[in-house]
């Protein structure tokens, strides 16, 4: 953590006293610590404790030096925001985007990864409101360090005790590492469906939305990569910062990928490319009186297989959308398309498409396998990048 900027947010729970020990650990690990305390936190621990540990002023109010606009400066300078302990109240405010004190303003203004360590009474932790709020924050990409079961201030035994110091340090260290682990990499991502025109108003396509590829692009940018995104038709907005090429057909996508592939070190193909296109595209709208009897199709290029055929050091990751014999089918694609890894997506029923939760398993080599679990596509993007970084460095 040497020289890395950590913003420690302390909110008003009894576990606030433990945040002082954590602050000391972070400082000993070399972190440069900015501490922001809520008014309730100050009822439990004095700001002087944190100021002495961090050897920097502690921030307690959005009004202390208004001319410096402290929340914006703090939000910009920090590389990670860690809220330890996080009360049910602060968690609720963060889930809604309420900014009514310095800490919630900083979080709203910051693009840094967010680590949240809840600590509270068991009933409050298990309340549906808190559980929903934590799920919202987790789906948005926050790293939640789950509380432990143990002795609570109420002299009861239960869930809600602040996570141990080692787990907190590991979560903050992991978040910091992730902000740089793709620095120097040039990443190319294909995403979305393709559309294969039958006539000016009709086309063949599929249910892909491009969400997973867009989330992978966003995450790669956050980790310091340069990102080329080749995106099929979707109403979704690509992340600012990615160089995006919009395409319509599979042939457009193949051409754009060939053009953009130079210098790329990691490519991930999430696009649901149409395997076939109509053999002829009618210049004018086909009338129903024309009564077409059949639609003749021809094969589209395989964008991913083409990348695999000339990969030259490129780390290549495919996706396999399957409804049966998931892993066997995916391993066959891994080999046939010369991939370094393949993410298997179960698309039975509603799963896999659009904004609904997803589940992925990553396969590589002859028997490499990692279950990435289920979650929002944003969470899975982070876990997939963690796995790719690890695989690539072991190569
Ligand atoms: N892919 C591609 N170009 C195609 C077809 C697929 O780039 N014309 C990529 C997808 O982006 C994905 C992977 O190949 O990363 C697997 O796609 P999938 O459709 O599941 O596999 P196919 O090779 O088309 O095999 P099948 O249709 O038999 O399942």
């Amino acid at each position: 953590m040497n020289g890395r900027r950590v913003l420690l947010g302390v909110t008003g729970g009894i576990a606030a006293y433990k945040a002082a020990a954590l602050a000391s650990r972070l400082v000993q690990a070399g972190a440069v610590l900015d501490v922001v305390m809520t008014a309730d936190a100050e009822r439990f621990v004095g700001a002087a404790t944190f100021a002495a540990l961090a050897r920097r002023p502690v921030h307690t109010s959005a009004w202390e030096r208004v001319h410096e606009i402290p929340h914006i400066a703090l939000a910009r300078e920090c590389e990670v925001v860690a809220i330890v302990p996080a009360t049910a109240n602060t968690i609720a405010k963060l889930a809604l985007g309420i900014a009514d004190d310095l800490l919630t303003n900083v979080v709203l203004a910051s693009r840094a990864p967010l680590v949240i360590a809840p600590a509270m009474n068991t009933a409050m932790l298990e309340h549906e409101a808190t559980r929903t709020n934590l799920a919202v924050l987790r789906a948005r990409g926050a790293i939640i360090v789950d509380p432990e079961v143990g002795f609570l201030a109420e002299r009861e035994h239960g869930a809600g005790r602040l996570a141990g110091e080692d787990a907190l340090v590991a979560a903050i260290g992991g978040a910091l590492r992730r902000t740089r682990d793709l620095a120097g990499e040039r990443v190319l991502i294909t995403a979305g469906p393709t559309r294969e025109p039958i006539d000016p108003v009709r086309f063949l396509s599929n249910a892909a939305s491009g969400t997973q590829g867009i989330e992978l692009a966003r995450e790669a940018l956050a980790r310091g990569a340069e990102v080329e995104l080749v995106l099929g038709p979707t109403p979704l907005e690509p992340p600012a910062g990615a160089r995006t090429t919009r395409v319509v057909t599979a042939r457009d996508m193949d051409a754009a990928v060939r053009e953009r592939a130079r210098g790329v070190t990691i490519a991930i193909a999430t696009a649901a490319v149409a395997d076939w296109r109509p053999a002829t595209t009618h210049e004018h709208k086909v009338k129903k009186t024309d009564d077409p009897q059949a639609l003749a199709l021809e094969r589209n290029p395989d964008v991913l297989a083409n990348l695999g055929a000339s990969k030259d050091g490129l780390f290549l990751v495919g996706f396999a959308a399957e409804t049966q014999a998931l892993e066997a089918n995916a391993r066959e694609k891994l080999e046939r398309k010369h991939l370094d890894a393949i993410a298997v997506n179960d698309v039975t029923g509603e799963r896999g498409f659009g904004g609904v939760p997803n589940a992925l398993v990553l396969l590589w080599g002859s028997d490499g396998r990692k279950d990435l679990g289920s979650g929002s596509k944003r969470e899975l993007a982070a876990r997939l990048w963690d796995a790719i970084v690890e695989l690539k460095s072991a190569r």
Side-chain angles (χ1 to χ4, degrees), residues 190 269-275 300-305 317-322 333 336-337:
T190 69
T270 69
V273 184
D275 289 318
N300 264 332
D302 190 315
V303 181
L304 177 60
V317 183
F319 265 69
E322 306 286 352
K333 284 173 195 173
R336 174 162 49 89
K337 302 196 188 191

Side-chain angles (χ1 to χ4, degrees), residues 29-348:
V32 177
L33 208 58
D34 283 300
V35 179
V36 175
M37 300 178 75
T38 62
D40 284 347
E42 282 191 279
R43 291 174 176 263
F44 287 100
V45 202
T49 305
F50 289 100
L53 290 166
R55 301 266 184 105
R56 293 165 69 81
V58 169
H59 308 270
T60 52
S61 162
W63 302 102
E64 58 191 9
R65 286 193 302 273
V66 178
H67 61 284
E68 289 173 8
I69 321 188
H71 65 288
I72 301 295
L74 286 166
R76 284 210 182 122
E77 286 163 12
C78 68
E79 297 175 83
V80 60
V81 177
I83 306 188
V84 184
T87 58
N89 182 50
T90 294
I91 288 166
K93 288 196 282 184
L94 296 178
L96 280 170
I98 292 173
D100 65 350
D101 59 14
L102 181 60
L103 180 60
T104 46
N105 271 285
V106 168
V107 173
L108 210 54
S110 171
R111 297 205 169 98
L114 177 62
V115 175
I116 296 175
M120 64 195 74
N121 160 272
T122 310
M124 292 172 86
L125 181 68
E126 288 174 355
H127 195 286
E128 216 171 318
T130 307
R131 291 203 337 242
T132 306
N133 291 331
L134 283 170
V136 164
L137 292 166
R138 191 178 278 126
R140 226 182 258 158
I143 299 151
I144 312 292
V145 193
D146 287 324
E148 296 174 350
V149 175
F151 183 74
L152 302 173
E154 303 83 336
R155 303 197 171 183
E156 295 164 2
H157 188 86
R161 195 179 145 98
L162 182 70
E165 217 173 278
D166 289 343
L168 296 169
V169 172
I172 295 166
L176 279 173
R177 213 170 315 115
R178 272 183 222 112
T179 63
R180 288 191 184 166
D181 63 4
L182 290 176
E185 302 284 1
R186 232 176 113 90
V187 168
L188 184 145
I189 295 170
T190 69
T194 65
R195 275 184 192 172
E196 312 298 328
I198 297 169
D199 70 14
V201 295
R202 303 181 178 96
F203 51 80
L204 297 178
S205 192
N206 57 62
S209 64
T211 310
Q212 188 66 76
I214 286 172
E215 292 301 345
L216 283 163
R218 196 190 312 280
E219 182 70 18
L221 288 164
R223 292 172 184 233
E226 233 181 274
V227 177
E228 295 278 357
L229 178 62
V230 179
L231 185 60
T234 169
L236 301 179
E237 278 303 313
R243 217 163 85 164
T244 303
T245 310
R246 298 249 189 197
V247 296
V248 177
T249 67
R251 286 189 290 181
D252 295 344
M253 185 172 277
D254 194 50
V257 165
R258 285 170 193 271
E259 204 180 297
R260 300 280 182 209
R262 187 191 299 260
V264 166
T265 55
I266 305 174
I268 309 183
T270 69
V273 184
D275 289 318
W276 304 277
R277 64 176 175 268
T280 46
T281 301
H282 297 272
E283 190 187 339
H284 295 289
K285 189 180 163 200
V286 178
K287 302 307 248 181
K288 64 173 162 287
T289 46
D290 293 344
D291 271 344
Q293 297 299 308
L295 186 62
L297 299 174
E298 53 190 36
R299 280 294 277 275
N300 264 332
D302 190 315
V303 181
L304 177 60
N306 287 344
L307 270 174
S310 59
K311 67 186 234 192
D312 192 25
L314 171 71
F315 193 92
L316 192 55
V317 183
F319 265 69
E322 306 286 352
T323 55
Q324 55 179 349
L326 313 186
E327 297 192 14
N329 278 335
R331 283 214 191 266
E332 184 276 320
K333 284 173 195 173
L334 178 73
E335 202 166 315
R336 174 162 49 89
K337 302 196 188 191
H338 306 288
L339 310 180
D340 294 283
I342 191 159
V344 195
N345 206 344
D346 181 350
V347 289
T348 319

